[in-house]
Amino acid sequence: MIHVGYEPTPTRDSLELDSLVSSSASASPRSSTSSRSGISSSRRLSLASDDGDAEPGRPRAYRSYSVSSAFDFNAHLVPLTSSAETRYQQLGATNAPGSNPVGTLEKQKTLTYLNGLSLLVGVQIGSGIFSSPSQVNNHTPSPGVSLIVWAVAGLLAWTGAASYAELGGAIPLNGGSGVYLRHCFGELLGFLYSWTAVIVLKPGGAAIVAIISGEYINRVITGSFAADADAVLPSEWANKLAAFLCLSFVTALNILSTRLTTRLSDSLMFLKVGTLLAITIIGIVVAATGLNGDGKGASTEWKDRGWFDSRRGGVSGRESESMVGGLGEYAIALYAGLWAFDGWDNVNFVVGEMKNAQRDLPRVIHSAMPVVIASYLLANVAYYLVLPGEVIGRSNTIAVAFGTKVFGTAGGVVFALAVSLSCFGALNATTFTSGRLVYVAGKEGYLPAIFGTLGLCGGGNEPSRRSSVSDKKSILGRILSIFVCGASNGEPGLHSWNKTPIYAMLLNFFLTALYITVGEFGTLLTFYGVAGYTFYFLTVLGLIVLRVKEPSLERPYRTWITTPIIFCCVSLFLISRGVFSSPLQTLVVVAFVMAGIPVYYWRVGGWKGWKLPWRK
């Protein structure tokens, strides 16, 4: 329904840019075109002629490429199909003598199909399915309509994910939307996405998940639940402290080892899916037998009233509500459902690290999405079988209410623990992908070059820079280098922490911790609705642009053309709804995104006279 299918392809990657490989053995040192100049490795190759690179040492401000229009396709579309065999070095090419043995993240190729599946499922099944049901319920007229909204939200997310599967197969690089926007519409849009996602979207979303996880952990420890009228709930700062500890742990884990991170993600995926499956089975058993543990009798609302009978206060039950207002209510319900499915694009942030991205990326997406959609629908059916609609509408801890209703206080504790672990797994997965986003921004010159390196010693930098620094070290510095880097010559050793983007992870940690401290999530949700779906829309629109401008581009996977069209149409509706419902907050979003334009010309566009300490 969503896709055409996987097409076997030749062994070469369709787009093998320099960011996937290091220089060949015969290449000269990269000092003239290093990250110090701010120009990205992928951009550098795309601007080079077929006969060679641009003139060495030529200032970036005078390079022959245009930034006049973000929609100037001739100037901005990377010639993905021209001379791909000869222009892009094959993966696994031999490193230059003395080059970094670790290389870039993309060279490690450590992620399998199971890792990608657990990443995609793990990011989506976080806190949303345990908090969004109340919002969907409150803005729809009946349980049946609520389930339809959930299904529509899931299918919309699936159309977006299917579109990203085609883009990821054609452009198999880490970075997600930023990379695709750059190749489709030009450098400016790619930068603005990275600017927005690195500073707000990713750390803000992670902060929300972290605080929810911390709150559930505190409730397990203190035994206080929203279902108890006299319960003393944990304080706001207690929840933030727990959130900070969770964030610190997952960041440390991501710094130490990619393998440990992916193994934890794999394990928690089975826990998440198992929890939703258990909720479904328990709901069916309770509906069939009437058993429950709270002593108040099982709810019979699901069989006393039709599933599509309007409830008082529902959309159809408000006599004075206009059709426009009704559509607005449905839009809010759809937003809540899409929030629960958010994360469907996260595997594209790490596609460059997959062992066989062209084969596994579509398989991951078309395996994960039906699993998540089915799990969400069945869990919501179970909620309605066990709990009255009124309870569902006022509870933002619906899993705890479900467990308490069926098993009493012990059930509330068990389900609170399951939800906390689910949120923890989502935080771990989003930290993993956020670090890659920051890493790619550093590699592209959007951020200082240190954020595009691996390990504490800057793995992935050109050997000449690293050697010159090493030569100036004192004896104590050399000893510390041996201890930290694992090699006496200043080169990064093969320890696992020298294979991860440590500085990128630390930047993401700092920003997420800042949002945890501030804790203003109403604006963040509006930001997500407007800015997030604007970039989703532009990225999927880019797929259509590539179909027109690059028809011969090698695409291991092709989705139906109706898939991106449907996604774009619904995205435009959601964006316009957000603009009209929250105009002031939308202006703040637009102002923030536009503020990235002067930063773009400062970091990338080549303004004369601007020199930074890290650009000597």
Side-chain angles (χ1 to χ4, degrees), residues 84-428:
E85 293 274 3
T86 57
R87 294 182 62 194
Y88 303 127
Q89 191 177 9
Q90 290 288 337
L91 292 177
T94 305
N95 289 343
S99 63
N100 174 22
V102 176
T104 63
L105 278 174
E106 293 87 347
K107 283 200 66 179
Q108 296 180 28
K109 298 293 182 184
T110 57
L111 302 183
T112 63
Y113 164 76
L114 180 60
N115 297 147
L117 183 65
S118 63
L119 178 65
L120 197 56
V121 172
V123 172
Q124 291 185 86
I125 304 180
S127 62
I129 186 57
F130 306 112
S131 59
S132 293
S134 62
Q135 295 300 313
V136 177
N137 178 84
N138 291 340
H139 295 281
T140 52
S142 65
V145 176
S146 296
L147 295 176
I148 291 176
V149 169
W150 278 104
V152 170
L155 291 176
L156 177 61
W158 198 352
T159 59
S163 302
Y164 272 60
E166 177 174 328
L167 289 168
I171 309 174
L173 301 174
N174 279 4
S177 293
V179 174
Y180 310 146
L181 288 170
R182 185 175 74 243
H183 285 294
C184 296
F185 298 118
E187 190 75 36
L188 178 58
L189 273 182
F191 176 87
L192 290 179
Y193 171 79
S194 297
W195 160 265
T196 307
V198 168
I199 298 179
V200 179
L201 292 180
K202 297 294 282 185
I208 294 175
V209 175
I211 286 187
I212 294 175
S213 179
E215 181 178 357
Y216 273 99
I217 290 174
N218 283 336
R219 292 190 179 197
V220 171
I221 295 174
T222 61
S224 57
F225 303 104
D228 301 330
D230 300 327
V232 178
L233 299 180
S235 68
E236 179 183 357
W237 283 105
N239 294 335
K240 290 184 176 183
L241 176 61
F244 180 80
L245 293 176
C246 289
L247 175 65
S248 301
F249 182 81
V250 298
T251 301
L253 189 66
N254 276 271
I255 286 175
L256 287 176
S257 173
T258 296
R259 179 169 296 181
L260 284 176
T261 303
T262 54
R263 285 181 176 176
L264 176 62
S265 182
D266 295 345
S267 303
L268 291 176
M269 176 188 68
F270 294 106
L271 172 67
K272 294 165 182 275
V273 176
T275 299
L276 294 179
L277 182 61
I279 288 175
T280 302
I281 295 174
I282 292 170
I284 294 174
V285 171
V286 170
T289 63
L291 298 176
N292 69 92
D294 67 350
K296 297 179 182 178
S299 173
T300 59
E301 183 178 301
W302 62 273
K303 59 182 178 181
D304 293 338
R305 302 181 60 181
W307 283 70
F308 288 93
D309 289 348
S310 297
R311 300 174 303 235
R312 183 178 181 181
V315 173
S316 300
R318 297 174 187 172
E319 298 178 359
S320 62
E321 190 154 52
S322 64
M323 175 60 81
V324 176
L327 287 176
E329 292 292 312
Y330 287 121
I332 295 173
L334 188 59
Y335 261 131
L338 288 171
W339 172 258
F341 284 102
D342 190 45
W344 48 262
D345 64 320
N346 270 245
V347 71
N348 288 75
F349 288 109
V350 298
V351 67
E353 296 176 63
M354 298 182 73
K355 291 183 177 180
N356 193 337
Q358 295 183 332
R359 181 196 68 189
D360 289 341
L361 179 61
R363 291 174 59 200
V364 165
I365 287 174
H366 294 303
S367 299
M369 293 310 300
V371 168
V372 175
I373 293 172
S375 299
Y376 281 12
L377 287 174
L378 292 174
N380 275 279
V381 169
Y383 293 152
Y384 282 113
L385 291 176
V386 173
L387 301 171
E390 182 182 358
V391 174
I392 295 174
R394 69 168 185 261
S395 175
N396 62 352
T397 55
I398 191 170
V400 176
F402 180 91
T404 303
K405 177 70 175 178
V406 178
F407 299 110
T409 303
V413 172
V414 171
F415 276 92
L417 180 60
V419 174
S420 66
L421 290 175
S422 177
C423 295
F424 179 82
L427 180 62
N428 176 62

Side-chain angles (χ1 to χ4, degrees), residues 412-544:
V413 172
V414 171
F415 276 92
L417 180 60
V419 174
S420 66
L421 290 175
S422 177
C423 295
F424 179 82
L427 180 62
N428 176 62
T430 195
T431 299
F432 182 80
T433 57
S434 297
R436 269 60 184 174
L437 175 64
V438 177
Y439 170 80
V440 171
K443 294 288 286 186
E444 296 299 331
Y446 301 160
L447 295 173
I450 192 172
F451 295 111
T453 61
L454 302 181
L456 287 172
C457 302
N461 287 344
E462 59 273 23
S464 57
R465 264 182 74 186
R466 189 164 55 240
S467 298
S468 63
V469 172
S470 178
D471 291 340
K472 298 178 182 178
K473 286 183 179 178
S474 63
I475 297 177
L476 178 60
R478 291 178 181 272
I479 295 175
L480 290 176
S481 177
I482 295 173
F483 176 75
V484 176
C485 304
S488 59
N489 60 353
E491 296 285 347
L494 299 181
H495 300 310
S496 59
W497 60 76
N498 279 319
K499 300 179 183 179
T500 58
I502 292 179
Y503 294 106
M505 290 292 178
L506 291 177
L507 177 60
N508 180 72
F509 170 83
F510 171 78
L511 292 173
T512 305
L514 181 63
Y515 284 111
I516 290 175
T517 304
V518 174
E520 177 51 52
F521 298 135
T523 303
L524 285 176
L525 290 175
T526 301
F527 207 108
Y528 157 79
V530 176
Y533 264 84
T534 297
F535 286 117
Y536 283 152
F537 164 76
L538 291 173
T539 303
V540 175
L541 182 64
L543 183 152
I544 302 174

